[in-house]
Amino acid sequence: MYGLAVTALKIAQGLGVAAAGLAAEHLPPHQVVAAGGVLGVLAALAVGVLWRRSGATRGGRPAIR
């Protein structure tokens, strides 16, 4: 399972670099970096929402409440 997670991470990182390179062909680099930051924050918020809705537990108690 760990190998699958590492593979998915590497593929996602590669696609992100490729997308940033394509975007930098048409936009100034500072806009591409800013857009990457915004997308990263939105992705982190989405994962946080999914984690909270999942009811994940820590030590038999809800991890987040």
Side-chain angles (χ1 to χ4, degrees), residues 3-61:
L4 179 62
V6 170
T7 300
L9 176 63
K10 289 184 179 192
I11 290 172
Q13 288 175 334
L15 291 173
V17 169
L22 288 173
E25 292 288 328
H26 303 288
L27 299 170
H30 68 276
Q31 288 181 348
V32 175
V33 171
V38 168
L39 290 174
V41 168
L42 292 175
L45 289 173
V47 169
V49 167
L50 291 173
W51 179 283
R52 185 174 181 117
R53 287 184 183 172
S54 75
T57 62
R58 183 183 303 155
R61 297 175 312 190

